[in-house]
Amino acid sequence: MANTVVINGDNRKFTLSPDIKLYALMDAGFTKTVRGNFDYEHPLYNDSPYNAPTKLKMTINKQLSHLTMVVTDRNGLQKVNIFKNKQLAPTVKLLNYILKDFEERKILFQVKD
């Protein structure tokens, strides 16, 4: 886990918002783990979520101070770079929508260089 994360292939950096609230995580679809961390998993699909080739996985620690964020394959085992393939443009658009939603809910904050 880190303070600042970059998705594989993306040039943007994200960190947790200083105004993050527990209820915002629950409203956004995060689930609490046995260890008290918060997990989020969302398929990045074009037509059907059941055939999604990739998914966004995030974990925020229970102190709401560190996070991990990665786009993986269907099984969640390998990192995938969705930015290098032009055919995955709708997937990138969906990822951007999710990240924008997290910014509006004050969960994530985009770090400006």
Side-chain angles (χ1 to χ4, degrees):
M1 292 207 174
N3 286 337
T4 305
V5 295
V6 177
I7 295 176
N8 188 26
D10 198 356
N11 55 6
R12 298 172 294 177
K13 295 179 183 178
F14 292 94
T15 188
L16 290 172
S17 170
D19 300 326
I20 191 170
K21 302 284 188 244
L22 180 62
Y23 65 83
L25 292 176
M26 297 302 165
D27 287 349
F30 282 82
T31 56
K32 195 169 188 177
T33 66
V34 175
R35 293 184 178 215
N37 296 330
F38 299 93
D39 281 345
Y40 179 84
E41 196 169 299
H42 192 282
L44 299 174
Y45 56 90
N46 298 332
D47 301 322
S48 169
Y50 303 107
N51 296 330
T54 58
K55 59 179 150 182
L56 172 66
K57 293 174 76 173
M58 288 181 62
T59 302
I60 299 175
N61 70 344
K62 60 184 171 185
Q63 293 86 7
L64 304 179
S65 61
H66 291 79
L67 79 150
T68 61
M69 182 166 50
V70 67
V71 175
T72 66
D73 62 0
R74 181 180 316 198
N75 299 327
L77 301 176
Q78 302 231 346
K79 289 182 182 180
V80 176
N81 183 347
I82 61 173
F83 296 93
K84 68 179 180 181
N85 188 340
K86 299 268 189 238
Q87 293 177 333
L88 293 176
T91 303
V92 173
K93 187 175 178 181
L94 179 59
L95 173 68
N96 290 336
Y97 177 80
I98 293 169
L99 294 176
K100 183 177 181 220
D101 183 52
F102 286 165
E103 286 184 69
E104 290 173 356
R105 292 176 186 259
K106 294 185 170 51
I107 295 171
L108 289 180
F109 176 74
Q110 186 174 341
V111 178
K112 307 286 185 196
D113 287 334

